[in-house]
């Protein structure tokens, strides 16, 4: 007898919706509480355009492409944004001081328990304030989410984090030494250039696979995923700080050590929740980084995205600022105890592919 696996019932089936509804009501409550926090902190909530000339310029982010047609049918390429970051920074350049944004964002090639092709990103920016202030924002927001739905802990796949405990703050270099036995900073020169062979030897010495075509960034990412992230955010929140400057994305170099950047990521229950920066405002340096990222994208995936020249122009007058992106759906998952991201989305994207 042939056995055919039963197809899961759609999310709109009344019985399925009844199971999901407590998570969704929790989502609304948490969103309302977070909006209240930003209002009390004198933030303006902004709403950014989804269609952009560039979806973002990170090598491993994949966008949804479309085109805009004029009345006579002439086409201009556009993309659904992967983050509201460029638009938010233009608003800082325009003179806004504290802004927050709950944005629907879109990322292709991403679907799983923690990933969805369309999800909600919470971003906020503080002009004239340090990125350490964002760390305190994160601590307060996680505690507020837990308080709002009256849970004493964040949970995911059996792991627990106390959102009311003081966070652990550890640098990337310290984490590599502690959990991987790897001297990361020895592979980074004062000018930010990296020594691939040294890092490869450190990984091999610690039993991590190294392929002949791996670059320094590939090795860094593999060690981070295999050796570091499995230890982060258990029991209490972890703030992983001072990323290598070659992994700075849109963050400025640290005044303390030019080998690292003012970039941190927030972890709870082993899940990455947020990515914060002391923002880079050097347009020429940002262009250089974007071009490196797009060259890498072309090498690996055979495509590249255009640069947002308007953003680079605005960056030249943007004030000193700090900014952060938090995966709002993931926070809701951990606070409500949901096991999959689609459980906390009111209307998940239709299934596609296999």
């Amino acid at each position: 007898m042939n056995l055919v696996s039963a197809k899961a019932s759609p999310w709109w089936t009344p019985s399925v919706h009844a199971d999901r509804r407590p998570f969704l009501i929790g989502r609304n409550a948490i969103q309302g509480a977070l909006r209240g926090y930003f209002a009390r902190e004198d933030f303006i909530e902004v709403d950014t355009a989804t269609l952009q000339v560039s979806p973002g310029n990170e090598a491993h982010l994949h966008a949804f492409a479309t085109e805009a047609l004029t009345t006579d049918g002439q086409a201009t390429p556009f993309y659904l944004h992967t983050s509201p970051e460029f638009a938010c920074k233009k608003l800082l350049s325009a003179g806004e001081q504290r802004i927050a944004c709950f944005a629907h964002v879109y990322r292709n090639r991403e679907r799983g328990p923690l990933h969805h092709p369309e999800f909600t990103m919470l971003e906020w920016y503080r002009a004239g304030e340090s990125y350490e202030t964002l760390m305190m924002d994160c601590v307060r927001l996680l505690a507020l989410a837990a308080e709002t739905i009256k849970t004493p802990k964040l949970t995911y796949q059996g792991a627990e984090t106390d959102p009311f405990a003081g966070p652990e703050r550890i640098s990337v270099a310290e984490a590599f030494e502690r959990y991987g036995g790897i001297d990361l900073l020895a592979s980074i020169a004062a000018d930010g250039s990296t020594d691939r062979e040294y890092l490869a030897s450190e990984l091999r010495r610690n039993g991590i696979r190294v392929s002949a075509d791996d670059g320094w960034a590939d090795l860094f990412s593999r060690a981070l995923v295999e050796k570091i992230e499995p230890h982060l955010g258990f029991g209490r929140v972890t703030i992983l700080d001072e990323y290598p400057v070659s992994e700075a994305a849109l963050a400025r170099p640290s005044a303390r050590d030019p080998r690292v950047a003012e970039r941190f990521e927030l972890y709870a229950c082993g899940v990455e929740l947020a990515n914060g920066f002391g923002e880079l405002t050097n347009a020429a340096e940002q262009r250089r980084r974007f071009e490196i990222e797009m060259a890498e994208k072309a090498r690996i995936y055979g495509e590249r995205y255009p640069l947002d020249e308007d953003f680079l122009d605005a960056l030249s007058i943007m004030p000193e600022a700090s900014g952060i992106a938090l995966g709002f759906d993931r926070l809701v998952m951990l606070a409500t105890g949901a096991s999959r991201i689609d459980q906390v989305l009111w209307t998940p994207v239709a299934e596609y592919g296999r």
Side-chain angles (χ1 to χ4, degrees), residues 111-131:
R111 190 155 198 161
L114 288 169
H115 297 86
H116 204 72
E118 179 180 356
F119 62 98
T120 300
M121 183 174 284
L122 168 59
E123 291 203 8
W124 67 98
Y125 293 83
R126 291 176 174 270
E129 298 183 70
S130 73
Y131 82 130

Side-chain angles (χ1 to χ4, degrees), residues 35-341:
R35 281 194 160 113
Y37 173 83
F38 287 112
R40 291 189 296 275
E41 289 283 310
D42 294 325
F43 279 75
I44 298 295
E45 183 169 346
V46 300
D47 188 13
T48 59
T50 297
L51 287 174
Q52 298 287 337
V53 298
S54 174
N57 297 108
E58 295 182 41
H60 301 292
L61 283 186
H62 303 278
F64 289 89
T66 186
E67 58 184 21
L69 301 178
T70 61
T71 55
D72 59 357
Q74 296 183 35
T76 299
F78 273 85
Y79 299 86
L80 300 182
H81 66 179
T82 59
S83 162
E85 182 169 9
F86 291 0
C88 284
K89 289 182 178 178
K90 290 174 186 178
L91 286 171
L92 293 179
S93 297
E96 294 296 339
Q97 295 292 303
R98 291 185 179 183
I99 56 175
C101 178
F102 284 93
H104 279 236
V105 297
Y106 306 84
R107 296 188 179 182
N108 221 336
R109 299 198 189 191
E110 293 191 13
R111 190 155 198 161
L114 288 169
H115 297 86
H116 204 72
E118 179 180 356
F119 62 98
T120 300
M121 183 174 284
L122 168 59
E123 291 203 8
W124 67 98
Y125 293 83
R126 291 176 174 270
E129 298 183 70
S130 73
Y131 82 130
E132 283 87 356
T133 308
L134 302 178
M135 298 177 189
M136 295 302 99
D137 284 333
C138 288
V139 171
R140 293 172 187 141
L141 290 175
L142 265 59
L144 179 58
E147 287 172 358
T148 299
I149 59 170
K150 298 179 173 56
T151 181
K153 58 192 176 183
L154 306 178
T155 60
Y156 182 68
Q157 292 186 341
E160 297 183 355
T161 295
D162 180 352
F164 305 104
E168 170 195 33
R169 181 177 175 183
I170 182 173
S171 73
V172 172
E174 291 168 339
F176 266 65
E177 180 64 40
R178 179 185 302 177
Y179 300 121
I182 297 168
D183 186 352
L184 181 66
L185 291 182
S187 72
I188 308 172
D191 64 359
S193 60
T194 54
D195 185 339
R196 185 265 182 198
E197 295 308 316
Y198 181 87
L199 186 58
S201 67
E202 286 284 276
L203 265 62
R204 291 191 192 99
R205 184 172 61 81
N206 287 278
I208 303 173
R209 175 180 59 85
V210 174
S211 298
D213 60 347
D214 284 333
W216 188 95
D218 300 312
L219 299 174
F220 171 80
S221 295
R222 186 171 303 131
L224 182 67
V225 170
E226 293 184 13
K227 293 291 188 178
I228 313 306
E229 289 187 333
H231 299 279
L232 305 180
F234 297 97
R236 60 177 174 153
V237 170
T238 297
I239 295 169
L240 186 65
D241 190 18
E242 294 189 338
Y243 272 66
V245 73
S246 61
E247 301 295 311
L250 286 83
R252 62 186 171 225
S254 169
R256 187 189 64 80
D257 185 341
R259 295 174 297 176
V260 299
E262 290 188 357
R263 175 187 176 187
F264 74 91
E265 293 196 346
L266 181 77
Y267 288 83
C269 302
V271 176
E272 180 206 335
L273 287 178
N275 188 13
F277 302 151
E279 300 291 354
L280 180 68
T281 55
N282 183 322
E285 171 61 15
Q286 189 63 77
R287 180 185 295 277
R288 185 188 72 84
R289 293 185 190 179
F290 282 164
E291 289 173 346
I292 290 172
E293 286 291 307
M294 290 302 92
E296 182 71 356
K297 188 174 190 66
R299 181 184 73 84
I300 299 172
Y301 303 109
E303 65 173 343
R304 65 173 69 218
Y305 299 138
L307 304 189
D308 184 342
E309 296 293 342
D310 196 44
F311 165 68
L312 291 170
D313 286 346
L315 197 63
S316 65
I317 63 168
M318 186 181 125
E320 295 292 312
S322 60
I324 188 166
L326 182 146
F328 176 69
D329 312 291
R330 289 187 179 184
L331 174 58
V332 174
M333 285 179 64
L334 270 57
T336 61
S339 60
R340 294 183 56 86
I341 193 170

